[in-house]
């Protein structure tokens, strides 16, 4: 027997319609590439998104066509989030920090017909335009006056010009909720990137889960600053969540340095922010140096890489900002877990509290997790047994774009490539990325554990732990350290931190100092690069 309820498809356009009707005058504030601060509201967003939808239609963009962006976080990007997906086309967001050849490869692979870009990326566009064979038109995300006077092989128009040429009389089509909405490629360090094709349904369900109190905890009372880029897994879904709850949105544009972020947080009354640890390092350094605090910001979501406990402590103890440590992946839209409290999980000391928050957290409804050993058998959720983390749920990818025949699932579960423990309360902790694991004398060593210990030293800006080959033990851990500006610390002092805290055999053998730990396009440490550089420790020192 069927239930007798309405069949309303879960559509991205309905998020915008909801925001326009119920939170029409809530603000969206953006620092623009032009250098100024732009402000309008959900009503303005709705109007311009519909105008843009008409412009796309006039260009002949049809259901399922891909429209690409190379853009920072800002209102024009937000307009495309809704105009493109809402009208049934697919928004392909590209990470502009990737190499030009990779950008070109993804454009060819996705077959995008139009490419929107922020003016910052004009040189990149000039570099790739002639070879981007599938692109029919380039759109600079600016007004007509700022349109660059360059000649490309294809037409170049302005975003605002397109909008001005069309009225806002547009009805969002009643799509099937399983229609593709957005496309984002994983930032794989080897091989070609893999595309994850999200649907309207997966996006709306993900937004419902992400907005929850025990997840990102979002409300109409919030002013949200997504520092995590809109080109990286849809800024963790925050552009959708904000419409869903009617929160104010604050976009930083290209200015991600500590001083710019802090100014924006203070002047716009930001209550919640989200980003990777590397970005928060800049912000913390800024507030600690200037002595300024946070008047309104009370929560920050940190994920994308393990959040070092000293960062959690700094935000919470010194600035009264609660850290929500989260784990996710491009393949998971991205939300997998958030470390939020639970009754019955008691912590006796500040140290225990920090140890709990260093965990990546619990699964919201909609994400199922398990860990398996090398033989594929389930491992106990005892907080000690570490195995590969497998997940499934309605916002987890079932296959990669244009690689559906490759079968990425294992018995219906997605193998994440992360190694983790899960405790009896359901808190998951990543111990390693499988390719970053260190196996010494047959025993696994968690690189994240070792990094967290070194990161606690006040002179350390960033710590990375990698395996180097060893004739007797196969592999041994070594530390690569980036010191804070002007700070000094000797290798022995860092190594002393480990004594008495971890098994002797898992203490790193050596410490290497570098000017800057290499970080990839999405803020993750490039361990492969470090391994290549330090795998012959003798050569590395000389
Ligand atoms: P991406 O698809 O680029 O978002 O990368 C996903 C990967 O980032 C995961 O598989 C993890 O290895 C890593 N990651 C994300 N969040 C965390 C976290 N909170 N702690 C540790 N690793 C994380």
């Amino acid at each position: 027997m069927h239930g007798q309820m309405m069949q309303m498809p879960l559509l991205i356009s309905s998020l915008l319609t909801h925001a326009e009707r119920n939170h029409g005058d809530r603000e969206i504030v953006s620092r623009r590439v032009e250098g100024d601060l732009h402000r309008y509201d959900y009503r303005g967003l709705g109007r311009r998104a519909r105008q843009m939808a008409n412009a796309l239609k006039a260009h002949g963009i049809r259901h399922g066509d891909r429209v690409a962006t190379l853009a920072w976080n800002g209102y024009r990007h937000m307009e495309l989030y809704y105009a493109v997906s809402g009208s049934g086309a697919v928004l392909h967001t590209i990470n502009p920090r990737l190499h030009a050849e990779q950008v070109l490869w993804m454009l060819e692979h996705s077959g995008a017909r139009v490419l929107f870009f922020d003016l910052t990326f004009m040189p990149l566009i000039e570099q790739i335009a002639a070879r981007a064979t599938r692109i029919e038109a380039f759109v600079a995300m600016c007004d007509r006056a700022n349109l660059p006077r360059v000649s490309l092989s294809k037409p170049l128009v302005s975003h605002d010009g397109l909008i001005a040429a069309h009225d806002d009389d547009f009805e969002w089509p009643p799509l099937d909720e399983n229609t593709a909405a957005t496309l984002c490629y994983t930032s794989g360090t080897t091989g070609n990137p893999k595309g994850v094709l999200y649907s309207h349904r997966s996006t709306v369900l993900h937004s419902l889960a992400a907005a929850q109190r025990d997840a990102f905890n979002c409300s109409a009372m919030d002013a949200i600053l997504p520092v995590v880029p809109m080109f990286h897994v849809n800024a963790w879904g925050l552009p959708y969540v904000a419409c869903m709850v009617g929160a104010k949105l604050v976009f930083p544009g290209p200015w991600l340095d500590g001083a710019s972020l802090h100014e924006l947080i203070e002047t716009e009354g930001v209550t919640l922010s989200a980003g990777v640890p590397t970005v928060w390092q800049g912000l913390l350094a800024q507030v600690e140096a200037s002595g300024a605090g946070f008047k309104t910001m009370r929560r920050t979501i940190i994920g994308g890489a393990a959040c070092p406990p000293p960062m959690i402590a700094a935000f919470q103890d010194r600035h009264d900002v609660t850290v929500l440590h989260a784990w996710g992946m491009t393949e998971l839209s991205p939300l997998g877990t958030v470390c939020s409290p639970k009754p019955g999980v008691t912590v006796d000391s500040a140290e225990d509290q920090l140890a709990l928050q260093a965990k990546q957290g619990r699964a919201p409804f909609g994400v199922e997790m398990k860990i398996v050993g090398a033989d594929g058998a389930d491992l106990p959720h005892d907080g000690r047994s570490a195995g590969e983390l497998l997940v499934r749920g309605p916002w987890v990818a079932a296959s990669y774009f244009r690689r559906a025949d490759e079968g990425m699932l294992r018995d219906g579960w997605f193998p994440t490539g992360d190694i983790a423990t899960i405790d009896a309360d359901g808190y998951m902790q990543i111990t390693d990325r499988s390719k970053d694991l260190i196996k010494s004398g047959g025993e696994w060593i968690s690189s994240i554990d070792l990094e967290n210990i070194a990161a606690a030293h006040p002179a350390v800006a960033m710590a990375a732990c990698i395996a180097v080959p060893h004739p007797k033990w196969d592999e041994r851990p070594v530390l690569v350290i980036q010191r804070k500006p002007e700070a000094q610390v000797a290798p022995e002092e860092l190594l002393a931190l480990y004594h008495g805290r971890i098994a002797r055999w898992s203490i790193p053998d050596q410490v290497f100092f570098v000017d800057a730990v290499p970080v990839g396009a999405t803020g993750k440490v490039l361990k492969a690069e470090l391994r290549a550089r330090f795998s012959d420790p003798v050569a590395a020192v000389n």
Side-chain angles (χ1 to χ4, degrees):
M1 198 189 290
H2 275 113
Q4 295 181 316
M5 308 308 284
M6 291 185 189
Q7 280 295 329
M8 300 285 285
L10 303 174
L11 297 180
I12 286 175
S13 56
S14 61
L15 296 171
L16 177 58
T17 307
H18 170 81
E20 258 187 289
R21 287 206 189 116
N22 299 285
H23 308 279
D25 56 4
R26 198 69 167 127
E27 272 189 309
I28 299 170
V29 181
S30 314
R31 260 222 181 101
R32 303 201 287 189
V33 172
E34 292 94 319
D36 58 351
L37 212 54
H38 172 274
R39 25 188 9 116
Y40 68 169
D41 55 21
Y42 281 113
R43 215 168 279 126
L45 168 68
R47 194 164 45 242
R48 280 175 51 105
R50 286 193 300 278
Q51 287 173 283
M52 183 56 88
N54 271 327
L56 294 169
K57 192 168 153 192
H59 181 79
I61 294 294
R62 296 175 310 261
H63 189 91
D65 283 350
R66 271 78 61 212
V67 172
T69 60
L70 276 167
W72 302 111
N73 292 6
Y75 70 105
R76 291 188 182 107
H77 208 171
M78 183 82 170
E79 288 161 8
L80 296 170
Y81 262 52
Y82 287 93
V84 175
S85 303
S87 56
V90 176
L91 184 78
H92 172 196
T93 52
I94 303 180
N95 186 338
R97 296 185 185 129
L98 294 172
H99 192 271
E101 295 307 314
Q102 277 175 301
V103 171
L104 204 52
W105 186 91
M106 286 187 282
L107 282 173
E108 293 289 302
H109 189 260
S110 86
R113 294 179 55 195
V114 179
L115 175 54
F116 285 76
F117 64 95
D118 266 332
L119 291 177
T120 319
F121 308 116
M122 191 66 236
L124 176 60
I125 299 295
E126 286 183 279
Q127 207 181 335
I128 63 173
R131 289 185 293 148
T133 55
R134 322 259 312 244
I135 299 291
E136 297 158 13
F138 293 94
V139 186
M141 293 163 76
C142 60
D143 59 14
R144 282 184 177 134
N146 282 299
L147 189 64
R149 310 268 169 259
V150 297
S151 92
L152 299 174
S153 49
K154 302 288 167 45
L156 170 63
V157 295
S158 75
H159 182 107
D160 289 3
L162 274 183
I163 286 182
H166 295 272
D167 65 33
D168 71 343
D169 187 8
F170 183 88
E171 291 282 332
W172 299 112
L175 309 167
D176 176 329
E177 65 181 13
N178 290 303
T179 302
T182 56
L183 175 65
C184 181
Y185 284 73
T186 60
S187 46
T189 44
T190 53
N192 285 325
K194 298 187 195 101
V196 179
L197 190 60
Y198 310 100
S199 69
H200 285 259
R201 173 187 153 83
S202 69
T203 304
V204 172
L205 290 175
H206 177 268
S207 308
L208 281 166
Q212 284 186 86
R213 174 88 184 267
D214 278 351
F216 295 167
N217 186 5
C218 298
S219 126
M221 302 301 288
D222 278 314
I224 304 177
L225 172 78
V227 180
V228 51
M230 290 168 82
F231 55 73
H232 187 204
V233 217
N234 302 326
W236 298 349
L238 290 169
Y240 306 116
V241 171
C243 273
M244 183 173 268
V245 303
K248 172 176 172 175
L249 264 174
V250 183
F251 288 126
W255 287 277
L256 304 179
D257 61 284
S260 304
L261 290 176
H262 186 251
E263 190 196 328
L264 204 55
I265 289 168
E266 294 306 294
T267 55
E268 295 303 326
V270 167
T271 57
L272 170 68
S273 57
V276 294
T278 35
V279 162
W280 292 146
Q281 209 157 38
L283 179 66
L284 272 178
Q286 158 73 22
V287 291
E288 311 244 301
S290 67
F294 299 104
K295 280 200 301 286
T296 51
M297 191 169 86
R298 287 296 159 261
R299 282 166 294 140
T300 184
I301 307 161
I302 304 186
C307 182
M311 181 173 281
I312 301 178
F315 269 118
Q316 296 186 163
D317 302 346
R318 293 208 285 280
H319 301 293
D320 198 17
V321 176
T322 302
V323 169
L324 297 166
H325 189 191
W327 166 84
M329 297 181 75
T330 307
E331 290 87 340
L332 270 78
S333 305
L335 179 59
T337 60
V338 182
C339 196
S340 46
K342 201 176 153 182
V345 179
T346 46
V347 286
D348 298 327
S349 64
E351 202 171 53
D352 282 358
Q353 173 65 29
L354 219 48
L356 178 69
Q357 285 188 272
K359 297 191 173 195
Q360 279 69 14
R362 315 188 266 121
F365 170 75
V367 175
E368 282 180 73
M369 303 191 290
K370 65 173 179 176
I371 42 174
V372 298
D375 56 359
D378 289 7
L379 292 174
H381 294 186
D382 57 11
R384 286 190 312 276
S385 311
E388 188 177 11
L389 180 65
L390 272 62
V391 296
R392 65 179 181 189
W395 55 86
V396 180
S399 57
Y400 290 112
F401 180 56
R402 297 192 154 153
R403 297 166 78 138
D405 50 336
E406 287 179 22
M408 69 186 238
L409 302 188
R410 226 187 275 159
D411 294 332
W413 292 78
F414 168 60
T416 64
D418 284 327
I419 308 298
T421 60
I422 301 177
D423 68 20
D425 295 303
Y427 288 85
M428 183 274 288
Q429 181 157 31
I430 304 272
T431 55
D432 258 301
R433 199 62 213 150
S434 51
K435 59 181 185 301
D436 296 335
L437 270 176
I438 305 168
K439 198 162 197 185
S440 185
E443 296 288 343
W444 295 112
I445 299 175
S446 160
S447 63
I448 296 181
D449 280 354
L450 300 191
E451 285 158 9
N452 284 346
I453 290 174
H457 193 283
V460 172
M462 215 154 157
C465 188
I466 51 164
V468 296
H470 189 279
K472 179 167 179 197
W473 303 110
D474 295 330
E475 286 179 350
R476 289 295 302 152
V478 302
L479 266 179
V480 182
I481 298 289
Q482 176 186 331
R483 282 172 287 207
K484 288 186 183 155
E486 318 290 329
Q488 288 302 326
V489 59
E492 304 74 46
E493 195 180 333
L494 285 174
L495 293 176
L497 296 172
Y498 292 90
H499 289 279
R501 299 195 52 187
I502 54 167
R504 278 177 59 105
W505 54 267
S506 52
I507 296 175
D509 278 358
Q510 262 181 298
V511 181
F512 297 112
F513 293 107
V514 293
D515 292 340
V517 168
V519 182
T522 55
K524 292 187 219 305
V525 173
L526 296 173
K527 294 227 173 145
E529 201 168 292
L530 288 178
R531 275 194 295 269
R533 187 163 155 205
F534 295 106
S535 58
D536 178 359
V538 179
V541 189
N542 296 326

